[in-house]
């Protein structure tokens, strides 16, 4: 029963996130005129093609997309599959958190953190930027989670601060040597926040995991002759999610 309710909860949040990413990106990055004229937080759901308000029964997560066969009911325009895929992604990642954490409070809290990480990862991957507002939200959530798990102690805070200064120094040095940025400022802020959510002994593993993912993407992009600029925040988000589902403590057992 609890699992069923949690799946519905996950689906609703996934639907919200998919819609909010569209609104945020088109208003703040793409500069869409219609989105700039509305409140993206309170405006009822509308068709991206014709801007017609969408009836609630056409907003059922996952099922509506399948029932409508990827077409808008109001105008017949193709509905981007990203809405469907983001909903499936959120449900899948939330379920993994549900399976790997025993406390309901931690499950709900880590789910909220995961939602923020997905938002950061998807925007950074496509646009190579991390919204500062999302970093502030993640920082608050990370502090609370750290307190709940007994990690909000002086050594942990010291590691987070040192991590931030270390990445900032690397960013400055690379810019001086190469004349371009190796890391975005958002990445420099993101990493120390993420270190608050895991024991300090796992911080090097988190950074190594993100770096290996970035290297793998770089070589794959080079092989496919695509843009090889790496969105490091995207890989940091993946690496930190692995921490939320308690992946790193099992590494010595493999």
């Amino acid at each position: 029963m609890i699992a069923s309710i949690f799946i519905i909860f996950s689906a609703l949040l996934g639907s919200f996130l998919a819609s909010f990413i569209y609104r945020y990106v088109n208003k703040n990055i793409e500069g869409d005129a219609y989105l700039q004229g509305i409140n993206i937080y309170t405006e009822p759901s509308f068709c991206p093609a014709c801007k017609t308000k969408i009836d609630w029964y056409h907003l059922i997560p996952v099922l509506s997309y399948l029932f409508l066969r990827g077409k808008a009911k109001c105008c017949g325009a193709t509905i981007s599959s990203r809405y469907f895929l983001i909903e499936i992604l959120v449900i899948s990642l939330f379920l993994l958190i549900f399976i790997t954490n025993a406390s309901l409070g931690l499950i709900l809290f880590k789910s909220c953190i995961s939602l923020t990480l997905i938002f950061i990862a998807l925007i950074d991957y496509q646009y190579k930027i991390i919204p500062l507002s999302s970093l502030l939200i993640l920082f608050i959530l990370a502090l609370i989670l750290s307190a709940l798990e007994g990690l909000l102690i002086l050594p942990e805070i010291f590691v987070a601060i040192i991590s931030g200064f270390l990445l900032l120094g690397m960013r400055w040095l690379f810019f001086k040597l190469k004349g371009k940025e190796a890391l975005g400022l958002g990445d420099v802020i993101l990493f120390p926040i993420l270190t608050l959510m895991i024991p300090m002994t796992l911080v090097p593993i988190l950074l190594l995991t993100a770096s290996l993912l970035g290297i793998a993407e770089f070589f794959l992009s080079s092989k496919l002759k695509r843009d090889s600029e790496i969105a490091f925040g995207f890989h940091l988000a993946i690496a930190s999610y692995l921490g939320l589902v308690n992946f790193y403590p099992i590494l010595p057992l493999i």
Side-chain angles (χ1 to χ4, degrees):
M1 181 62 178
I2 295 178
S4 300
I5 294 174
F6 188 73
I7 290 174
I8 295 173
F9 169 75
S10 305
L12 292 173
L13 284 183
S15 179
F16 164 78
L17 180 64
S19 176
F20 184 74
I21 288 177
Y22 164 78
R23 296 183 179 207
Y24 182 90
V25 165
N26 282 275
K27 180 171 185 173
N28 297 292
I29 300 177
E30 299 289 353
D32 181 273
Y34 180 80
L35 270 296
Q36 289 182 340
I38 65 172
N39 187 322
I40 62 174
Y41 300 98
T42 60
E43 184 74 9
S45 296
F46 57 88
C47 173
C50 68
K51 307 303 188 266
T52 300
K53 298 296 184 291
I54 302 176
D55 295 320
W56 68 268
Y57 48 83
H58 289 147
L59 293 171
I60 301 173
V62 179
L63 298 179
S64 288
Y65 182 87
L66 296 174
F67 178 76
L68 295 171
R69 298 182 180 179
K71 300 289 184 180
K73 185 69 175 178
C74 51
C75 63
T78 300
I79 302 172
S80 173
S81 60
R82 71 171 176 266
Y83 295 100
F84 175 77
L85 294 175
I86 290 175
E87 290 169 358
I88 294 295
L89 176 66
V90 171
I91 293 171
S92 302
L93 297 187
F94 275 30
L95 276 178
L96 192 53
I97 286 177
F98 184 81
I99 293 169
T100 55
N101 290 272
S103 166
L104 183 59
L106 279 180
I107 289 171
L108 293 176
F109 215 81
K110 287 186 177 184
S111 296
C112 291
I113 291 176
S114 298
L115 201 70
T116 309
L117 290 175
I118 295 169
F119 175 80
I120 289 172
L122 294 180
I123 291 183
D124 189 47
Y125 184 78
Q126 185 171 1
Y127 295 98
K128 308 298 187 293
I129 62 171
I130 300 177
L132 290 178
S133 56
S134 65
L135 291 173
L136 177 59
I137 293 172
L138 184 63
F139 175 64
I140 295 172
L141 294 174
L143 281 178
I144 299 174
L145 177 64
S146 183
L148 289 175
E149 296 200 310
L151 297 175
L152 197 59
I153 55 178
L154 189 59
E156 293 283 349
I157 297 173
F158 181 74
V159 168
I161 294 173
I162 292 299
S163 299
F165 278 111
L166 180 63
L167 287 189
L168 190 62
M170 291 172 57
R171 181 176 184 264
W172 176 84
L173 181 62
F174 192 88
F175 182 79
K176 284 294 184 181
L177 295 175
K178 299 292 185 177
K180 59 181 181 179
E181 295 180 351
L183 292 170
L185 186 58
D187 301 328
V188 174
I189 299 173
L190 175 62
F191 182 64
I193 295 174
L194 299 178
T195 64
L196 293 172
M197 300 189 296
I198 60 174
M200 59 184 179
T201 53
L202 296 179
V203 170
I205 298 178
L206 186 149
L207 183 58
L208 177 62
T209 301
S211 300
L212 291 175
L213 290 172
I215 292 171
E217 183 196 347
F218 175 80
F219 282 112
L220 181 61
S221 298
S222 300
K223 189 176 183 65
L224 297 176
K225 298 181 179 180
R226 297 185 340 201
D227 179 16
S228 58
E229 183 180 356
I230 302 303
F232 194 54
F234 172 78
H235 301 294
L236 282 174
I238 295 175
S240 60
Y241 174 80
L242 293 176
L244 293 178
V245 296
N246 305 312
F247 174 75
Y248 297 122
I250 71 170
L251 287 179
L253 305 177
I254 298 178

